[in-house]
Amino acid sequence: MAVNLAAPDPASLFAVKGVKIGVTEAGVRKPNRKDLMLMTLAPGSRVAAVFTRNRFCAAPVTLAKSHLHGGQIRALLVNTGCANAGTGDDGVLRAAQTCEAVAKLLDCNATQVLPFSTGVIMEPLPMERIVAGLPGCVANLRDNNWALAAQAIMTTDTVAKAYSKRINLGGQQVTLTGIAKGSGMIRPNLATMLGFMATDARIEPSLLQQATTYAAERTFNCVTVDGDTSTNDSFILVATGQSGTVEISKSDSPEFKIFLDAVTEVSLFLAQALVRDGEGATKFITIRVEGGMSETECRKVGYSIAHSPLVKTAFFASDPNLGRILAAIGYAGIEDLDVSKVDLYLDDVMVAKGGGRSPSYREEDGQKVMKQQEIMVRVVLARGTSAATVWTCDLSHDYVSINADYRS
């Protein structure tokens, strides 16, 4: 069960002018579940994206990258149940055929469709089932289907993830709504993560891409569940331009700052929701590393702690075996780290001071914090002024069970 995360109230998710969404049950892998989502975009919409850095990237990622360079995007197609990764040229062909099928139904070009897939790797995409399900998606197209869309892109997720925000730009209301999926195989760069956000703001294409990259780097690329980087990670930001606002065209303008903050806020909620719904997770853990010589250095320490199976299982057991955290700091790869200056806190409890056990630390205080559902780990390196934050979860028996039974 997700840690302090409830399914979104459909009424809290705002329609975005110029976007319609249709959902259906195509039986991609399992019957009687929503597994196909089509999002249509108004003519003139602009699309920015960041994708997985896994060299074994999935066929739809390859195709989506190509189509993004081809012109105006009119639709996004997402299926669950099959990742269409590790499928070679045949996978690209099948993904292209689904784009062609969408294009025929929407009267646009196949290159104006971006395909996305998530699910089991190295299995052929059941293109015939997807094509057969598309008319159902088209018949279901609505501007208020965001909650259903969040459900339709889930795999091992236990709860749908969605968030909306409204801002004021030049006296006009602008809407941002986003959905994401991911529960396992979550590791920065991106994280099996798919995220889709749409806004009716008008914004110059290069600034839209700048906002997408900025937000992803500070949110989706700061979460980790299990250290695995998916083959299919994609984060898409669509701007339909339907709000009636003046176009954002300067990176130093107040309007761009407001927009950037809003995109980052929506992204952060979705990114943290991935961790809260991590496979088998019982605890949500914030790791804050301060006093580093660079943000990169601080992140390196944060990820070292977040990826340690020994640390994560200790959190699951509420066992304050906190020397495991010191060990993870020590092998993070900072060769000139002076451990005699390192302090470690659990929430406000000082555990280690100057590289050793704090004289004030009592194990019962550490265990009290470890039993909480939400925990802050704070590391002070005392070698600079930089800081970074990483979000993760514990590692439970259920994580093993979920992944052992994933294909059954």
Side-chain angles (χ1 to χ4, degrees), residues 50-53 61 185-194 228-235:
V50 288
F51 295 99
T52 182
R53 296 171 191 166
V61 171
M185 199 179 277
I186 298 293
R187 160 72 169 97
N189 290 329
L190 286 166
T192 233
M193 174 205 107
L194 295 179
D228 272 330
T229 297
S230 167
T231 54
N232 294 59
D233 300 338
S234 305
F235 172 50

Side-chain angles (χ1 to χ4, degrees), residues 108-296:
C108 65
N109 294 324
T111 56
Q112 294 178 295
V113 181
L114 301 183
F116 303 92
S117 299
T118 182
V120 179
I121 296 172
M122 278 188 66
E123 291 190 1
L125 185 73
M127 184 264 300
E128 297 82 2
R129 296 177 191 174
I130 293 174
V131 171
L134 283 173
C137 283
V138 174
N140 183 242
L141 285 171
R142 306 282 189 278
D143 63 4
N144 62 348
N145 265 350
W146 284 98
L148 286 179
Q151 294 176 30
I153 64 174
M154 293 165 59
T155 48
T156 57
D157 307 59
T158 67
V159 63
K161 302 163 183 70
Y163 189 77
S164 277
K165 183 176 179 62
R166 283 177 172 151
I167 57 176
N168 187 294
L169 290 180
Q172 295 287 331
Q173 180 176 270
V174 168
T175 299
L176 301 92
T177 298
I179 59 175
K181 62 81 49 184
S183 187
M185 199 179 277
I186 298 293
R187 160 72 169 97
N189 290 329
L190 286 166
T192 233
M193 174 205 107
L194 295 179
F196 305 97
M197 191 189 307
T199 177
D200 49 14
R202 293 184 63 204
I203 181 168
E204 196 271 333
S206 66
L207 293 183
L208 185 67
Q209 183 61 56
Q210 183 177 328
T212 305
T213 303
Y214 178 94
E217 187 64 21
R218 287 157 181 78
T219 61
F220 292 113
N221 282 349
C222 290
V223 299
T224 178
V225 169
D226 49 21
D228 272 330
T229 297
S230 167
T231 54
N232 294 59
D233 300 338
S234 305
F235 172 50
I236 310 300
L237 178 55
V238 173
T240 66
Q242 302 281 306
S243 62
T245 56
V246 174
E247 182 176 76
I248 302 172
S249 58
K250 295 182 178 180
S251 61
D252 59 353
S253 67
E255 291 78 15
F256 183 64
K257 175 65 165 59
I258 294 170
F259 179 75
L260 190 63
D261 288 346
V263 171
T264 304
E265 179 183 328
V266 176
S267 299
L268 182 60
F269 178 91
L270 296 173
Q272 291 188 352
L274 303 181
V275 173
R276 293 183 182 279
D277 195 28
E279 290 174 342
T282 68
K283 295 174 182 177
F284 177 81
I285 303 160
T286 300
I287 302 172
R288 173 77 176 173
V289 182
E290 304 170 359
M293 294 184 69
S294 67
E295 185 175 342
T296 298

Side-chain angles (χ1 to χ4, degrees), residues 326-370:
L326 292 182
I329 297 170
Y331 64 63
I334 302 177
E335 298 299 330
D336 60 343
L337 177 66
D338 185 350
V339 297
S340 70
K341 295 182 178 179
V342 174
D343 295 341
L344 172 65
Y345 296 81
L346 280 185
D347 283 2
D348 294 329
V349 176
M350 175 175 267
V351 175
K353 180 176 178 59
R357 183 180 178 121
S358 172
S360 64
Y361 175 67
R362 298 186 307 163
E363 183 153 321
E364 53 265 37
D365 294 333
Q367 188 167 51
K368 183 179 179 181
V369 177
M370 295 283 275

Side-chain angles (χ1 to χ4, degrees), residues 29-30 81 119-123 156 401-408:
R29 181 170 179 82
K30 296 180 180 180
V120 179
I121 296 172
M122 278 188 66
E123 291 190 1
T156 57
S401 298
I402 290 166
N403 283 282
D405 297 335
Y406 182 62
R407 297 206 306 159
S408 61

Side-chain angles (χ1 to χ4, degrees), residues 2-54:
V3 182
N4 296 330
L5 179 68
D9 177 2
S12 72
L13 303 177
F14 310 133
V16 176
K17 296 174 184 175
V19 174
K20 291 186 178 181
I21 298 169
V23 170
T24 195
E25 297 176 3
V28 175
R29 181 170 179 82
K30 296 180 180 180
N32 305 316
R33 64 153 295 169
K34 300 174 183 68
D35 57 6
L36 191 64
M37 188 269 284
L38 178 67
M39 180 183 295
T40 64
L41 313 178
S45 296
R46 293 164 175 173
V47 180
V50 288
F51 295 99
T52 182
R53 296 171 191 166
N54 190 317

